[in-house]
Amino acid sequence: MNTSSIALVLRRCAVTTAAAVVVLAAAAGSAAAHAEVTASDSRALAENVTLSFTSEAERSEAGIKELRIVLPQGIAPDMVALKEAPKGWKLTATADGYTVGGPALAAGTDAEHSVTVRQLPDAKSLAFKTVETYSDGDISRWIEVPGDGEKVENPAPVLELEAAAPGATPIAPSPSPTPEPSVSSSSPAPSTPAPAATAKTSADASAAEDSGSNTGVIVAAIAVVIVLVAGAGVWWVRRGRSQA
């Protein structure tokens, strides 16, 4: 092999090596992008805790416009309130967590927001599965929960909790208001007498019947007495005449 051929082979090897380095660097950059969570108080059963989330941007041509967070067991959506977020972003509760989003951020800008949680559950760790949506419709899912020290490609943000403070207890859930029955003004429901009123009416009717019965007996007794007195008078007059 002459000198020119050797030089050509060396140049081709250099180009191939450079291309491989670029590919590996891009792959490493994509793998490095991830989502994280930290807490102002990482003890189990801690109250009014601020959770701060950071979703690293992994796109150079589109910005993050929305984050969907799946809350772990023990944190209900109504226990979370938005504390800080990019300008124009709002929080919306979902069945299993919440979404926070608004105008798309500049390409390459990390999405950071924080929420206040009424109370953390009594657990050893909490995983917050996160889905990132970019302005061009691309989606990144950080939803894999590692177990037993294994590594995953798209890990969800995990918050390790310390033991609960002495005396800490779960907050009782807020009682749900009892719904009031709706009444239509156009078709009022017929009034039904209360049981007590019905019983009283029946008692009054029975008393009236008993009173009528007693009155009849008294009248009959008086009539009998009058007849007896009249009969006795007639007998007395006739007896007097017979003696005379």
Side-chain angles (χ1 to χ4, degrees), residues 8-70:
L8 179 60
V9 171
L10 291 176
R11 282 198 300 271
R12 289 178 178 176
C13 290
V15 172
T16 303
T17 302
V21 170
V22 171
V23 171
L24 291 175
S30 177
H34 60 284
E36 296 180 339
V37 59
T38 58
S40 60
D41 189 342
S42 58
R43 294 174 298 175
L45 298 180
E47 300 180 24
N48 299 318
V49 178
T50 297
L51 297 181
S52 300
F53 294 87
T54 300
S55 292
E56 295 185 3
E58 54 183 322
R59 301 290 306 281
S60 58
E61 65 277 8
I64 299 174
K65 69 173 185 178
E66 183 184 80
L67 301 174
R68 178 170 179 260
I69 309 296
V70 177

Side-chain angles (χ1 to χ4, degrees), residues 12-150:
R12 289 178 178 176
C13 290
V15 172
T16 303
T17 302
V21 170
V22 171
V23 171
L24 291 175
S30 177
H34 60 284
E36 296 180 339
V37 59
T38 58
S40 60
D41 189 342
S42 58
R43 294 174 298 175
L45 298 180
E47 300 180 24
N48 299 318
V49 178
T50 297
L51 297 181
S52 300
F53 294 87
T54 300
S55 292
E56 295 185 3
E58 54 183 322
R59 301 290 306 281
S60 58
E61 65 277 8
I64 299 174
K65 69 173 185 178
E66 183 184 80
L67 301 174
R68 178 170 179 260
I69 309 296
V70 177
L71 295 172
Q73 184 176 3
I75 302 180
D78 61 358
M79 297 173 64
V80 176
L82 183 63
K83 186 173 183 180
E84 290 183 324
K87 185 177 180 180
W89 282 33
K90 296 181 180 180
L91 183 146
T92 303
T94 62
D96 57 0
Y98 66 88
T99 61
V100 58
L105 303 179
T109 302
D110 296 342
E112 299 179 351
H113 78 283
S114 61
V115 297
T116 301
V117 179
R118 189 187 308 161
Q119 185 181 43
L120 298 180
D122 189 4
K124 293 183 178 180
S125 64
L126 303 174
F128 298 84
K129 297 180 180 181
T130 302
V131 178
E132 305 168 353
T133 301
Y134 286 80
S135 56
D136 61 356
D138 192 21
I139 295 177
S140 294
R141 295 177 173 85
W142 302 97
I143 59 175
E144 297 178 311
V145 181
D148 298 330
E150 65 177 341

